[in-house]
Amino acid sequence: MSELADFLQWNTPNLLADEVREASCHWLLLNGLGLEAGPSKPCADLQSLVLPIRDWQLSISTAGFYSAADQATPNSVQFRIPRGEANTLLFGLLGESTAAPAHPLDPQQWWFWLVPMAKLHPDRQSIGLNPLIRAFGEGLSFGDLLEQLQPQRPVFRIVLDEEEATAKSTDPMVGQEFESYDAAYDVLERYYADLCCSDERSYYRIVEQSA
């Protein structure tokens, strides 16, 4: 083990402490979305930070069943409700009630709830796990959360013109997908360029869809 690793283990022996759990959730989210985490953790209270992601102004509040690896019984889960500029709260729950997680950077150990601030009572300062589940469902896995937060990328698909769609539905050109209109257009341009005047030809168009 390197001297740096020795120091980090000595300085932060409890990876389930509240401040480590909060930072771990931010780190996972930023890296999962491909966003810049910055050179160091912000000095501000992480729950007071607002992350601008798509249409959301997002604040994160986390909780865990265990605050230490040697804890005998699980905590009663309560999420703090930070107030500020955010229009959506992301509640993140670390671990299961049956055993303490090994460390907080395993995304499979987390469950998440995306909750609009407008759906929370303005005077409410915290919410328990059971009320959260009753109001907003069983929660999202890390993968499902990223799918909701990531902007949908456009997909450009080659399709037959409507009048030919039934007769030539097995055409190998049909259904090809591209990340840009230009890429799809280039394929069609090469197809038409290779045809002779006497060749039977099909006519295609490019449609944009969301991935």
Side-chain angles (χ1 to χ4, degrees):
M1 187 178 291
S2 68
E3 183 178 1
L4 176 59
D6 286 339
F7 168 75
L8 292 175
Q9 186 176 35
W10 172 80
N11 185 63
T12 314
N14 182 13
L15 294 178
L16 302 182
D18 291 350
E19 64 273 13
V20 179
R21 185 188 66 241
E22 295 280 352
S24 299
C25 186
H26 276 74
W27 178 265
L28 281 173
L29 181 61
L30 292 173
N31 279 275
L33 293 173
L35 301 176
E36 178 59 51
S40 62
K41 187 181 78 171
C43 295
D45 176 9
L46 288 178
Q47 289 192 351
S48 69
L49 295 180
V50 177
L51 302 177
I53 300 174
R54 290 182 62 190
D55 298 329
W56 290 292
Q57 298 293 317
L58 198 68
S59 284
I60 300 174
S61 178
T62 72
F65 285 105
Y66 292 87
S67 302
D70 58 356
Q71 185 176 327
T73 57
N75 300 320
S76 175
V77 172
Q78 286 285 327
F79 295 94
R80 177 182 149 200
I81 299 178
R83 299 293 175 177
E85 300 299 321
N87 59 24
T88 305
L89 279 180
L90 174 63
F91 294 107
L93 175 64
L94 175 62
E96 302 284 348
S97 61
T98 52
H103 64 79
L105 288 179
D106 179 1
Q108 295 185 2
Q109 296 286 334
W110 287 87
W111 286 96
F112 300 93
W113 291 261
L114 277 170
V115 178
M117 288 292 295
K119 292 189 175 181
L120 296 168
H121 193 282
D123 295 331
R124 191 164 197 167
Q125 297 182 347
S126 65
I127 186 170
L129 178 59
N130 288 334
L132 183 66
I133 291 175
R134 284 197 300 269
F136 303 106
E138 293 294 329
L140 302 168
S141 68
F142 184 66
D144 290 338
L145 173 68
L146 294 185
E147 285 188 9
Q148 287 208 20
L149 292 177
Q150 286 173 328
Q152 293 183 322
R153 60 179 179 84
V155 171
F156 297 89
R157 177 176 294 176
I158 295 176
V159 300
L160 280 167
D161 274 348
E162 292 181 5
E163 61 269 19
E164 300 188 18
T166 302
K168 299 183 179 181
S169 59
T170 59
D171 191 320
M173 290 287 290
V174 173
Q176 293 190 53
E177 295 182 348
F178 303 86
E179 293 185 357
S180 70
Y181 181 91
D182 288 345
Y185 184 86
D186 288 344
V187 169
L188 289 182
E189 189 174 43
R190 289 195 297 270
Y191 165 77
Y192 288 121
D194 290 339
L195 291 177
C196 296
C197 295
S198 59
D199 289 340
E200 181 182 357
R201 66 176 60 198
S202 297
Y203 292 92
Y204 305 92
R205 56 193 174 90
I206 300 169
V207 296
E208 181 178 349
Q209 300 177 328
S210 295

